[in-house]
Each structure stands twice: as structure tokens, then as C-alpha cells.
Amino acid sequence: MQDSWRKGYINLYGKIERVKSKVEKSYSHDRAFAIIFFFAILVRCYEITLPYIKIYEGGFQEIIAVNHLKYGFLNTHFVSILGNLHGQNIYHPNHPPLLQILLAISFKIFGVYEWSARLVPILFSLGSIVLIYLLVQKVWDKKTALLSSIFVAFMPMSAYFGRIVNFEAVALFFVLLVLYGYVNWIENDKKSYFLIMVLGTILGGLTDWAFYLILPCLFGYSLIIKRKVKLTFLLMCIGISLAILYIAYEFHLSGTSLDCWMGMGMYRHGSGLLTSWDFYTTLLEKMIFYFTPFILLSLCWIWSLFKKEKSQKSYKDYLALFLFLFGLSYIIILSQSTHVHQWNIYYLLPFIAISIALEIQKAPKKVIFSILIIFLITSMGSIAYLHSCQYTGYFARGQFINENSNHTDVIFIQGLTSEAFYAKNCTTLYFTKHNANNETDFISKEKPKFVIYPLQGTVDSHLNQKEFYHFLENKGYCSISNDNIYIFCQLQHPPLVEIFVIAPSIPLPINANFSNKIGFLGYDIDKTKLEIGDMLHITYYWKCLECMEKDYSVFVHFTDNKGNIIFQQDHPFCYGEYPTSEWKKGEIIKEEYYFPVPAKVKEGAYEIRIGVYIPHKERLDVVTTEGGTWDGWRLVMGEIRMDIPWEFKYKTLAWLISTLCIYLLFLAFYRKRFGFDV
């Protein structure tokens, strides 16, 4: 028996050794990179078909891209416009136009979908991984290149923001393209590499202002290593000339260069942040989360570099250092924006990935393997958290606007939100220019169908929130949402809160009694079959059974058949404008509410349970009811059914198909262009 066990163990061990030997013989850094690249695509294509319901997704650049298709490039003059009002373009010159042009091309080829928009940053983000692998391989070695590609592929800053439709992924690709051309140019002196640098400079400069910061860094690097100084200075002059020409072109079209200066960070508030301790603690928190705690290894590398004697420092060290200065300069110049926006630290990505790889590459294999495992676990945890932060409100409100408007309607939007992308019926969108008179004059003159206004701040420093609300009320607008954003609209229906002496006709009567204080007469609901992202419209009818001293609120639970809460809509009575302490006995109160259906809901039927309470203090019990059932303090008033749209239902299939398609294209390009044997 023991002999048979021993023989079996020896055979198994022999098979493992043979497999290990085959793997070692066939292993190459390039093949390992091909595997890493596949999973990098997989991470970026996750839920690629979903609407813009995830955190930091705005849909703003897509609006500009759609306008290119709607009005034509000749009419938009190839620059960013927010809409067209009375035949006049509303320009948005904060950023150069290449990203929106690329989005418009993608929309033209594939159609106007969220996935066709996400495809643009995903491809450029993946291109940056390839360029970092090639660049580090050229300057250092293949082992460092492979480690760098792992870090840059799976850091949350790259894996998540590399799929967000914004400037960073595209601009960083052209930064790396210029650097790749440079390191090859100084080695073999081929003019083709300088042409690559010129092309990268033109395209990068037309993508975002952040790109231009690499040009003085590259010139400083060439001064230190004393290679190609004149031509890198020429490259910097080309970049400066391009920026001046574009600003002049925008000024010619829009009549102002202020927005260009704002986009470059030259005109900003809050410059005192650089002397604020809060700025640096917040920045450190962001960097640890989005680059993982292994960013401390980058600090170790910087410390070890400064400890070196000048004679010991190589041109390789200076290249990594200037990548650090490039990312750091953007953070400093746009300190106010960096304090608010997480993605401003995106440009530190190449330096952090390379410096961590340089710091650990000399460690034993077991140590490197352990670091990579811990890195992947922490990164995937952060990425999963970012994907879990979903909010359906923008999507739902955009659909609501679309359903209640036509192509002649105007929308006024304070801020840059996704509603406009989904309000496809409306041909004119107007975004505020942070001027009180401009806003009020525009609303008074144009009478927009919808005014979308975030709750978090005031319209601007000249007009406070209450004054703006009163201004809109005087213009005949009413608020229909209190979920992070107010929508003021001119819909043709009665006010959202009404008081009656005689009960009106109630579509779905119930007549329930809550502790002999408040009666629930019934409700109306616009639809009982819903999809994710729908804006649900419910009207409640209440009756004051006795005068109350306390201010109660309403909870509305949407539950499964076991009574578990799946989502809910709690609110103070009458938006808090007519609290229960002011109700008069016998009054009948009608209130309407709009709220979005959340994204994380399974298909099936859900019960609507309603109740009255004071948060954390008191609940009113259901005493009697003529309709529905109750479980003590919750009245079961009705039922809805959820249907899941295809982009939600088949998201896993879309994820895998998009990953495979991109990977197959990569393999073809991989073999032919780089000569890799995969």
C-alpha cells in the first residue's frame, strides 16, 4: 500500500516537473506581457455597455461629440460646442478638441452608445501600457518593463480612470509616444523617430493642455544628458506655437480666451491650497487609494536617488525623475482642480509604475511574487469599490427630460451633468458661464423647458440658492426632484403639493389609518412595469385626522416577497415645505414625487410598502385599512415589476466579447509591428 502511494507521488512529482520544465522553456517576457495585457483589457471592459451610472462618469464630452455629428464639423469648426442657440454656436474652449473629434468618429462608426464612447479611452489606456512596456524595455531591461506593465495595467487610477471618457488616457498616450520616439531617436538617430515625436506633439497638444508640460521636462532632460538639445528645443517651440495658434483660433471663433486660460489652469481660485496642510493630506489619501499603498516604494526610490552621488546617477535615473516632475507640475499648476478631481494625479502613473518596478526588481523572486499578489488583491478591491459606487439619477432624469420634451426645447444646466447626454430630443443645451445676470437673463428670455441645478452649491457668488429658487418660482417653474439635483420644469400639470377640503378623485384608493393621526387615502403611479433608470412618478393622498405637534416623514419601501427592502424613497411630507405640525384637521394633502429606479435591482416583482415615522424616534402603526394589507407599521399598498434592459442583462456577455475583440486586434498588431513571438 505504501509502495503504491510512493509510486503515485513520484509519478505526480515527475509530471509537475515536466510541466514546469516546458513552461520555463516556452516562457518569455513578451508572452507574459501578452497574458497581462489580456487581463488589462478585461478589467477596462467591465460593464462596458452600462449607461453612465458609475462614479465620475459625466457624459459631457459625449455631448460635444454628438454636436459634431448633429451640426457637422464644418459648422462646429472642429472645436467644442455645447449647442446652437438661434443659429449661434455656444463654444466651450476650455480644452483642445481632439478627444471629442475621436468620440464623434467612434459614434459615426459604431453608433451613439456608452460603449462606443468608452472604447476611445480604453484603447488609448491600453496603448499606454504597450508604450510603457516598450519604453522601459528600451531604457532598462525586460524584467523591469514587465513589472512596470503590471503596475500600470492594474493600478486603480489606470484600470478605472483608463475607461472614463476624459482627456487623461488619451493625453498620456501621446506623452509616452513622444518619449518612446525620443529614447529611440537618441540611440540610432533616425529621422522617423523625430517625426513620431512631432506627430505626438501635435496630436497631444490638440488633446489637452496637460500634454504641453512634458515638452519643457524633455528639454531639461536633454540638457542634462547633453543629447539632441537643439531639436528638443525646436519640439518645445512647435508645442508653444501650436498652443498659441489654437488659442488665437478659439478667440477668433468665440471672442474670448478666458475659458482657454481656465482649462490650462492659468486662471483659478484657491491657489492658497499649496500652503494648506489639508491639500497635502487629501492628495496623499488619493494617491494611496488610487495607486495602492505601494506608492511608498516610489518614495523610497526617490530617496535612494537623492542619496546617490552625482557621478553614480545615470541618464536612466534622470528620465524617471523627469516623468515625476511632469506629473507633479500638473498637480501644482492645477492645485484647485486636483483638490476636487481625483483624475488629476493620473499623469503620475508612468513614474509610479516604473519607480516601483525599479525598487523591487533586485529583490528575490519570492519577495517580488508576494508583492505582486498583495498589489493585485488591493488593486482589485479598490477597483471593485469604484464600480460599486453607482447612481442612476443622471440617467433617469435625462430619460425623463427626453420623454417630456421635443426637439425645439431648450435646457438650462448649471454644471456639467449626464442629463444632457440622455435628453436626446432637445437640440439646444445651455451651460452656465458663472455669471448671475447671464443666467437670469437667459432664463427670462429663452424660457427653457428644464432648469437642472445641483443642490451642493449656489449658482454663483452673486446669487444665493433661495433667491434663485424664488426667481424660478416666479417664472412658473416647479421643483420635481430633491435627490442631489433639483429639476425645475414647466410641465403642464398642477403643483406638486396641493391642499384640498373635499377629496379629489383618487385612481388607487386605499383608506388606511396611521395611529388615528394621519390617514392614507390612496395613491397614483404612472407605470407599474419599470426598467432600471426609469424615473418613477408616484402621487400620494393623505388626510389629517387630528392636529399634530410633531413633524413626521414618509418611508416608501420597495421589498421582495419576504419583506426585505431592495430600495426605498424616504422623504419629509410635502418636501418639508408643509410639515405635519402645520396641518389642519380634515385637510387632504396631495404630494407628487419623482425618483430614479436604482441600478442594482434584480428582475421580478416588488411590493410597495409605505409608513409614517420620525427618524430614529417614532413610528405610527397601521390601525385599519380598507385596501391592501399591513405588517404592523408598514402598509402594503401595491406592486411593481422590474424588467432589466439588455445592456444590464447581458453585461457579462458584452464584457467578454469586447475583451476578445480588442485582444485579437492587439495580437495581430503585436506580431506584425513589434516582432513579438506570441
Side-chain angles (χ1 to χ4, degrees):
M1 186 71 176
Q2 290 180 348
D3 290 340
S4 62
W5 277 102
R6 188 181 299 109
K7 288 179 181 178
Y9 175 77
I10 292 171
N11 289 334
L12 179 62
Y13 182 78
K15 289 180 180 179
I16 292 173
E17 285 297 315
R18 285 193 293 272
V19 170
K20 184 179 177 182
S21 177
K22 288 181 180 179
V23 170
E24 288 176 349
K25 287 180 180 178
S26 62
Y27 174 82
S28 72
H29 289 91
D30 295 336
R31 288 191 175 117
F33 175 75
I35 296 171
I36 292 166
F37 195 78
F38 174 81
F39 287 102
I41 300 171
L42 197 69
V43 168
R44 282 158 181 77
C45 290
Y46 179 67
E47 296 185 333
I48 191 174
T49 59
L50 290 194
Y52 293 132
I53 60 174
K54 294 182 182 292
I55 188 171
Y56 307 126
E57 291 188 316
F60 178 63
Q61 311 305 332
E62 294 86 329
I63 296 166
I64 297 170
V66 169
N67 285 335
H68 281 311
L69 298 181
K70 184 185 294 183
Y71 303 111
F73 283 109
L74 293 179
N75 291 323
T76 62
H77 308 290
F78 291 90
V79 299
S80 304
I81 69 166
L82 303 175
N84 186 283
L85 187 63
H86 306 312
Q88 297 294 318
N89 289 337
I90 302 170
Y91 292 98
H92 181 73
N94 292 48
H95 298 273
L98 183 61
L99 172 64
Q100 297 89 344
I101 292 172
L102 293 173
L103 291 172
I105 294 171
S106 182
F107 287 159
K108 185 69 174 177
I109 297 171
F110 302 110
V112 182
Y113 303 107
E114 293 87 353
W115 68 265
S116 58
R118 291 186 178 115
L119 189 62
V120 173
I122 285 173
L123 291 176
F124 279 94
S125 172
L126 294 170
S128 294
I129 298 172
V130 174
L131 284 174
I132 283 181
Y133 179 70
L134 296 175
L135 177 68
V136 177
Q137 181 177 289
K138 191 75 177 178
V139 177
W140 285 276
D141 53 65
K142 283 195 171 185
K143 181 181 178 182
T144 307
L146 187 64
L147 290 172
S148 299
S149 65
I150 293 173
F151 289 118
V152 82
F154 300 111
M155 279 183 176
M157 176 54 66
S158 172
Y160 187 78
F161 286 100
R163 70 195 299 278
I164 299 294
V165 183
N166 213 349
F167 303 95
E168 289 73 29
V170 183
L172 185 62
F173 173 84
F174 291 118
V175 167
L176 294 171
L177 184 65
V178 170
L179 289 176
Y180 178 70
Y182 181 76
V183 297
N184 282 277
W185 182 41
I186 61 175
E187 181 177 300
N188 54 34
D189 211 26
K190 286 185 179 179
K191 291 183 179 179
S192 58
Y193 287 113
F194 181 70
L195 293 177
I196 288 175
M197 294 175 67
V198 172
L199 179 63
T201 298
I202 294 171
L203 295 177
L206 291 174
T207 301
D208 195 28
W209 303 114
F211 171 84
Y212 290 99
L213 296 174
I214 194 60
L215 300 179
C217 290
L218 188 60
F219 176 62
Y221 174 65
S222 67
L223 283 173
I224 289 177
I225 67 171
K226 299 177 181 178
R227 301 289 301 275
K228 307 294 186 182
V229 176
K230 292 181 180 180
L231 288 177
T232 51
F233 179 74
L234 174 62
L235 195 71
M236 188 168 65
C237 292
I238 291 173
I240 294 171
S241 301
L242 180 66
I244 292 172
L245 286 173
Y246 178 73
I247 292 173
Y249 180 60
E250 279 283 7
F251 182 79
H252 170 71
L253 293 174
S254 63
T256 176
S257 60
L258 175 61
D259 287 334
C260 285
W261 294 115
M262 290 178 67
M264 287 188 288
M266 304 304 291
Y267 174 83
R268 68 189 192 279
H269 299 291
S271 56
L273 279 172
L274 293 175
T275 59
S276 168
W277 181 249
D278 178 63
F279 172 76
Y280 296 101
T281 55
T282 304
L283 180 62
L284 182 62
E285 289 173 4
K286 291 178 183 177
M287 294 181 73
I288 289 175
F289 179 81
Y290 291 107
F291 293 118
T292 74
F294 287 97
I295 192 176
L296 297 175
L297 293 174
S298 292
L299 300 179
C300 293
W301 182 87
I302 293 174
W303 176 251
S304 63
L305 177 64
F306 279 102
K307 284 176 65 178
K308 283 184 179 180
E309 296 291 336
K310 188 175 181 180
S311 58
Q312 295 177 322
K313 294 175 183 176
S314 67
Y315 77 95
K316 303 175 183 180
D317 295 328
Y318 287 114
L319 179 62
L321 185 61
F322 274 97
L323 277 172
F324 172 66
L325 293 176
F326 161 66
L328 185 64
S329 60
Y330 187 73
I331 291 172
I332 293 172
I333 292 173
L334 274 80
S335 58
Q336 174 70 8
S337 178
T338 302
H339 195 58
V340 177
H341 300 306
Q342 280 75 359
W343 53 84
N344 275 33
I345 59 177
Y346 190 91
Y347 297 106
L348 282 171
L349 190 61
F351 164 74
I352 291 174
I354 294 170
S355 60
I356 294 175
L358 290 171
E359 190 66 19
I360 70 170
Q361 59 139 346
K362 294 180 181 178
K365 286 184 178 180
K366 290 183 179 179
V367 174
I368 295 175
F369 183 75
S370 300
I371 288 174
L372 292 178
I373 293 296
I374 297 170
F375 163 75
L376 291 173
I377 291 172
T378 55
S379 292
M380 291 304 109
S382 298
I383 294 166
Y385 170 77
L386 289 168
H387 278 290
S388 69
C389 298
Q390 297 183 357
Y391 175 62
T392 326
Y394 301 125
F395 177 45
R397 282 189 289 265
Q399 289 186 315
F400 172 80
I401 292 170
N402 205 42
E403 292 170 359
N404 293 277
S405 60
N406 56 57
H407 69 280
T408 61
D409 288 330
V410 177
I411 302 176
F412 177 95
I413 300 181
Q414 204 283 332
L416 311 178
T417 58
S418 298
E419 284 93 346
F421 178 67
Y422 292 105
K424 297 176 182 177
N425 274 345
C426 303
T427 56
T428 302
L429 306 174
Y430 182 85
F431 295 77
T432 70
K433 298 297 182 182
H434 306 287
N435 180 286
N437 294 328
N438 193 18
E439 292 172 352
T440 54
D441 289 348
F442 176 84
I443 293 173
S444 298
K445 181 180 178 182
E446 301 298 334
K447 297 181 175 60
K449 186 70 172 288
F450 293 94
V451 175
I452 305 174
Y453 172 63
L455 288 176
Q456 288 86 346
T458 59
V459 178
D460 59 44
S461 58
H462 303 289
L463 196 66
N464 67 41
Q465 210 168 25
K466 285 188 176 181
E467 288 176 350
F468 192 60
Y469 289 170
H470 291 318
F471 164 75
L472 291 171
E473 288 171 359
N474 293 334
K475 292 294 178 183
Y477 287 85
C478 59
S479 168
I480 65 169
S481 176
N482 62 348
D483 186 15
N484 294 324
I485 290 182
Y486 273 140
I487 300 180
F488 295 91
C489 67
Q490 290 185 321
L491 296 180
Q492 301 301 315
H493 61 59
L496 298 176
V497 176
E498 290 185 275
I499 312 299
F500 299 94
V501 177
I502 301 174
S505 175
I506 300 174
L508 298 169
I510 289 183
N511 197 19
N513 183 323
F514 286 93
S515 298
N516 295 314
K517 293 182 178 181
I518 297 175
F520 181 66
L521 304 184
Y523 71 104
D524 187 18
I525 188 169
D526 61 340
K527 47 190 171 184
T528 56
K529 290 185 177 181
L530 301 167
E531 290 187 351
I532 292 171
D534 278 345
M535 181 73 82
L536 187 59
H537 177 202
I538 300 185
T539 304
Y540 308 104
Y541 295 86
W542 305 92
K543 184 173 183 178
C544 180
L545 302 180
E546 68 173 37
C547 294
M548 294 164 278
E549 295 181 355
K550 299 177 181 178
D551 292 329
Y552 291 93
S553 295
V554 181
F555 64 79
V556 185
H557 295 166
F558 296 84
T559 67
D560 58 21
N561 54 12
K562 295 180 181 179
N564 299 316
I565 301 171
I566 306 302
F567 64 101
Q568 63 192 82
Q569 190 262 332
D570 299 357
H571 62 267
F573 277 98
C574 305
Y575 297 88
E577 297 177 0
Y578 189 40
T580 55
S581 60
E582 298 179 10
W583 288 11
K584 298 176 179 60
K585 187 175 181 179
E587 279 185 340
I588 295 168
I589 297 94
K590 169 191 168 186
E591 56 172 1
E592 296 182 57
Y593 279 88
Y594 295 81
F595 58 95
V597 176
K600 294 185 177 181
V601 178
K602 295 181 179 179
E603 201 165 47
Y606 295 91
E607 294 178 335
I608 309 174
R609 301 176 184 239
I610 194 169
V612 180
Y613 75 125
I614 296 176
H616 311 297
K617 291 183 179 180
E618 180 184 351
R619 291 171 177 166
L620 299 187
D621 291 327
V622 180
V623 179
T624 59
T625 181
E626 296 177 7
T629 59
W630 75 93
D631 58 3
W633 48 276
R634 293 192 301 185
L635 171 70
V636 182
M637 56 183 265
E639 186 179 270
I640 61 169
R641 179 165 186 84
M642 284 297 306
D643 293 323
I644 308 299
W646 73 269
E647 59 264 36
F648 288 88
K649 189 180 295 185
Y650 302 113
K651 58 187 178 182
T652 302
L653 184 62
W655 177 28
L656 296 175
I657 290 174
S658 56
T659 299
L660 289 173
C661 288
I662 295 173
Y663 191 63
L664 290 173
L665 289 172
F666 161 74
L667 287 181
F669 189 74
Y670 201 78
R671 179 189 292 272
K672 293 178 181 179
R673 297 301 175 92
F674 300 124
F676 293 159
D677 182 19
V678 295

